[in-house]
Amino acid sequence: MAYISQYQYYENGGTAPTDENWGSYQYVSLFEIVNNFMLMYQGNHSLINNEERFKILFHAKRAIQELNYDAFKEIKVLELSVDDQLRFVLPSDYVNWVRISKESNGILYPLSENIQTNWSSAYLQDNTGKILFDIDGKALSPQFSELDYARIFTIKPTIYLNGGSPYNGMSGYNDGGDWYFERQIGSRFGLNTETANSNPTFNINSKQGVINFSSGMHNQLVVLEYVSDGLENGNDSKITVNKMFEDFLYAYIEYAILSSKLGVQEYVISRARKRKGALLRNAKIRISNIHPGRLLMNMRGKDKWLK
Amino acid sequence: MINSVRNTVLSVLNKNNYGYISPSDFNLYAKQAQLDIFENYFYEYNYQINKENARSSGTGYADITKGLIEVIDMFSVSSPLSLSTTPPMVSNIYYLPSPTTTGYDYYLLNKVLVYTTLLSSGTTDSVLANKCIDSTATFVTDGVKVGDVIGLVRTNITQYVTVTLVDSETELSTTNSIYTNTVWDGVGVSYVVYNNDLQEAEKVTHSKITMLNNSLLTAPSLVYPAYTEEGLIMTAYPNSINDIGRVLSQYIRYPNTPKWTYVSLGSSGEPSFDQSQPDYQDFELPASDEGDLVQKILQYAGMSIREASVVQFAGGLENAENQQQQ
């Protein structure tokens, strides 16, 4: 890939989308990684010889996936409304979530993951508790389990201190500075801080590919911050890697091939492994952007007076 | 060089009245000898690479590998592969290089390249010299630019011309192809315009291609195309590679068959060398291989006239030379 002119960078040569190349100089493409590796690290005089390109491609993509899971810090963000069944369908390139927030009046409220499940599948049963089957021998299922029905169509009680809490809206009285309610007096002693959150909660059904929210989240805007694997839905020409990790990728591919090749001396593999590890550490330090200016900003806070 | 080789061979054979070989015999032996030496370049190249890896070969004038690469590259040809149009009409199957499709048989298919970006395609409906005219085309909108490549088929040969000017949405000015300067001399010429992005396709064995196609991470794509060979055809992957001129090959062709041509002189019919004959073909090997050619032909000739000492003599010379080269 050739260097591009500034007109190409800022305006994409006048063709839409004009922002196509913004920030592109931070990145090196997968094509370049594979091409450079084949050119520089493989050949008659190199440690690696006569390897098929698809193997190089495989290891390059695996390295990019691994880097995307944690080292890159490149978070994708998607905003969607919660549907009538209190679901938020996971994005097509979703791998794992980072944070889920509810948007309300322009402010994001981070939501807690419910430590109890809030969804379930169910089978139909007769009044003696026996499961009902169809003619093919498959167990019959209701449209919603009792758990789901209560959550979706009513305000399901919850252990969290939100709208579903048994104490929500309950009147109480104050005695000697302590609040007491008419019933369950004393139940708030020993409050579980993990569940002491007034925001709605969620639980992820990974296999079904949805986030299930607690009652009262119909049509609410939810912002999902998540990580993908960086493979751009299979479009090889769009896959890029931050340049900080370029050398690590070469080292990773080299190590991956050497370590799985017959007859390579252990010291060679060991050297490749150490090089790979060192380059990853270097890249992580670089990408974390620890520099004096940023530290100075943090350190200034130490003199702030607390009242 | 061929006459010089023949004279030397005859001189050696006649020295002790061993015998004589006819021009047709000589031509047969010459073909075999050239092929032997040609094929040996590749083994020699591999030997030299191994020596390089063992750090026992030199640089500069001692760089034997460089000389061998130069010799092999004399037989290098780059040409588009012809799309197979027997059913189905649109497929990802191309003919490998052959005398009927590219002009030469190939010894080694070194590289297969694929044009990744198809800009425009259609059929011409007007005739003008060096102009591709298609009233239904939208060349400007499609992003066709000067320097882009047009693939087309004329006289059953797939060939390329280059865009020299984008005249309008429906008209392009082009160069001539290396085969003909009248590529646009009729209507109904199917053409495909590519930009200059080329990606190398990887040769994959039949035992791997199915798994490769099923692999999420490494399935062939236009960025990383692949191909398999089967008989006289190659199959390109992904199967969206199915356009005229989309696949470009670089291969090492076989050397042309040498032919010592002659005219008969006098009543005895003594053949006299005549290189003006239309089927004349000199050796294509470098002059430094003349000695090798003589030795090889002598070996074949010695076998032919059942003269063991000729075979022995030529074999001895060859062994001595091999040892010297190592």
Side-chain angles (χ1 to χ4, degrees), chain A residues 141-191:
Chain A
S141 293
Q143 188 180 1
F144 299 105
S145 63
E146 288 295 331
L147 195 62
D148 282 330
Y149 189 88
R151 178 173 59 84
I152 295 168
F153 299 107
T154 65
I155 299 295
K156 181 184 171 299
T158 168
I159 57 171
Y160 287 81
L161 299 180
N162 54 30
S165 167
Y167 308 112
N168 191 52
M170 192 177 285
S171 56
Y173 56 89
N174 191 291
D175 182 16
D178 293 324
W179 276 95
Y180 295 96
F181 294 86
E182 278 189 83
R183 277 163 280 178
Q184 301 179 25
I185 291 173
S187 292
R188 300 191 74 172
F189 289 110
L191 181 73

Side-chain angles (χ1 to χ4, degrees), chain B residues 210-228:
Chain B
T210 314
M211 288 184 282
L212 198 65
N213 276 325
N214 290 334
S215 161
L216 195 63
L217 290 183
T218 59
S221 63
L222 282 175
V223 183
Y224 300 103
Y227 70 95
T228 56

